[in-house]
Amino acid sequence: LLDAVQKFWTLDGMVIVGPGMPGVIHYCGADLIHTGVSLCMSQERYIKDVLQRVGLKESNIASTPMDNNVFEQVAEETKKNKGIVPDKTLVNEAQTLVGCIIWVATRTRPDVIFAMSVAASIMTSLPALSIKLSKRVLRYLKGTVALCLVFGQVPNGVLLTNLSLIHISEPT
């Protein structure tokens, strides 16, 4: 596999994540932190950046990623908007928000996958509702931003990836 990848990208040396690793490793929007006995993968920094970019940094948090009546909302909006061509600007905004949530959901936050899939399924037909649903997911992520995936005991380290894709810094 490594040979196949090297046909497309120049790779530097491999990095070992584990005891003695140099601080936090930032990799593709995630922070990898060795806690001494486990590896924590967090996207707190990425989520906070998204909240800032979309103007939700000071918003109230949501206790759940989705309203109980979301399917009723979708049915109602579908009837209301039948035959109406959605505004391309709203579609673009919906796609951007859903994309940000996909990035988080598929890496560290499986708890938002279902809500994200509902928002994604209507982003081109009901973009305003998709935006509303996506912002709710983001407000939920704001309230649970410190959650991370923890990978059991990692006493001797885990081979991670190539150094050319990693930014290493001290913990903040």
Side-chain angles (χ1 to χ4, degrees):
L1 178 63
L2 184 59
D3 292 336
V5 171
Q6 286 180 326
K7 289 179 183 176
F8 298 98
W9 292 289
T10 302
L11 302 177
D12 295 334
M14 302 302 263
V15 172
I16 302 296
V17 175
M21 70 179 228
V24 175
I25 296 176
H26 308 292
Y27 180 73
C28 293
D31 292 336
L32 299 171
I33 306 132
H34 192 276
T35 65
V37 294
S38 61
L39 182 66
C40 176
M41 185 173 172
S42 167
Q43 287 186 285
E44 181 173 352
R45 188 183 315 223
Y46 177 78
I47 293 167
K48 287 180 176 178
D49 179 58
V50 171
L51 291 167
Q52 176 72 36
R53 283 187 287 140
V54 301
L56 293 175
K57 185 179 178 184
E58 303 301 325
S59 66
N60 294 328
I61 63 171
S63 59
T64 60
M66 191 169 71
D67 284 327
N68 288 337
N69 65 345
V70 70
F71 295 109
E72 290 84 2
Q73 291 176 43
V74 171
E76 183 179 315
E77 289 297 315
T78 300
K79 287 178 189 175
K80 247 196 277 185
N81 291 295
K82 191 172 185 172
I84 298 174
V85 176
D87 180 287
K88 288 181 182 181
T89 305
L90 289 177
V91 171
N92 188 321
E93 183 180 352
Q95 290 171 330
T96 299
L97 291 172
V98 168
C100 291
I101 297 167
I102 289 172
W103 191 254
V104 173
T106 58
R107 280 149 187 80
T108 61
R109 298 299 301 271
D111 54 328
V112 300
I113 287 179
F114 183 72
M116 175 273 307
S117 70
V118 173
S121 71
I122 61 170
M123 66 187 173
T124 57
S125 59
L126 300 171
L129 184 55
S130 178
I131 291 166
K132 178 183 173 187
L133 298 177
S134 296
K135 287 185 175 183
R136 169 145 184 142
V137 173
L138 290 171
R139 291 186 303 108
Y140 169 76
L141 288 170
K142 178 184 177 188
T144 59
V145 72
L147 293 180
C148 66
L149 284 182
V150 177
F151 300 92
Q153 293 189 349
V154 189
N156 296 320
V158 176
L159 189 60
L160 177 64
T161 186
N162 67 69
L163 193 55
S164 64
L165 299 176
I166 295 175
H167 174 264
I168 300 173
S169 71
E170 292 301 317
T172 54

